[in-house]
Amino acid sequence: MTTGIRRTAAVAVTAGLLLTGGLAAPALAAAASPAGSHQAAHRIGVVEKVTAFYDQYLDAINGTNPNMDPTEVRNEFLTPELDARLDAWAEENLADPVFRAQNTPDSRDVRYEGSGAGHATVIVTEHFGDGSTIDVWYEVPLDGGRISDLKDAPR
């Protein structure tokens, strides 16, 4: 076999193992360790919390949340300090403090950014009808507490 053919065969075998899960066992074993599963649970938990808040808030703004209005949603998910800062931001910017815009987004993507010092950062990318996007950064305590910060993306 020539070197090019051997390299192509090695790449094909590796790709096949990856696709069938043949090389996934060590990665899964590491992820299943107590520390790995604890971190994964925190990651999932903070993303779920931000997603639940965002979706319920959007529904409340649109009048389709039968159980809560926007104020009630914010009271349930946000710390009182953050809620007060958002009210001040809304007055100063004449826009919705959660969406960081004067209109509501058409869709959103939510992703885990990282964690440290007892909290995680979750980023919501909002997509608007004109094709524009806004990233809003959320800070969520890893201990399961309420969302403690929400701000524009760092510049």
Side-chain angles (χ1 to χ4, degrees):
M1 253 187 197
T2 67
T3 304
I5 294 173
R6 274 189 235 138
R7 190 174 296 132
T8 303
V11 168
V13 168
T14 302
L17 287 171
L18 286 171
L19 289 173
T20 62
L23 292 179
L28 289 175
S33 71
S37 61
H38 184 68
Q39 290 172 345
H42 279 309
R43 179 180 301 175
I44 291 167
V46 296
V47 169
E48 286 177 347
K49 179 174 285 202
V50 170
T51 302
F53 164 69
Y54 186 91
D55 290 348
Q56 287 185 37
Y57 185 79
L58 178 62
D59 287 346
I61 291 290
N62 289 331
T64 58
N65 184 337
N67 301 317
M68 291 189 273
D69 65 27
T71 301
E72 293 169 321
V73 173
R74 285 174 48 177
N75 288 339
E76 180 176 326
F77 284 92
L78 309 179
T79 63
E81 298 81 15
L82 173 57
D83 200 34
R85 287 195 316 268
L86 291 179
D87 286 339
W89 188 96
E91 284 184 37
E92 183 178 319
N93 293 278
L94 302 175
D96 184 280
V98 172
F99 301 137
R100 309 304 240 196
Q102 292 179 336
N103 54 345
T104 57
D106 292 340
S107 64
R108 52 93 183 124
D109 298 311
V110 182
R111 73 180 185 276
Y112 176 83
E113 183 65 14
S115 62
H119 69 272
T121 300
V122 176
I123 300 174
V124 175
T125 301
E126 302 171 340
H127 303 271
F128 294 87
D130 64 0
S132 65
T133 62
I134 295 175
D135 282 345
V136 181
W137 290 48
Y138 288 76
E139 186 174 291
V140 185
L142 292 173
D143 67 4
R146 293 179 183 186
I147 297 168
S148 58
D149 203 4
L150 179 158
K151 57 191 169 204
D152 299 323
R155 296 175 200 246

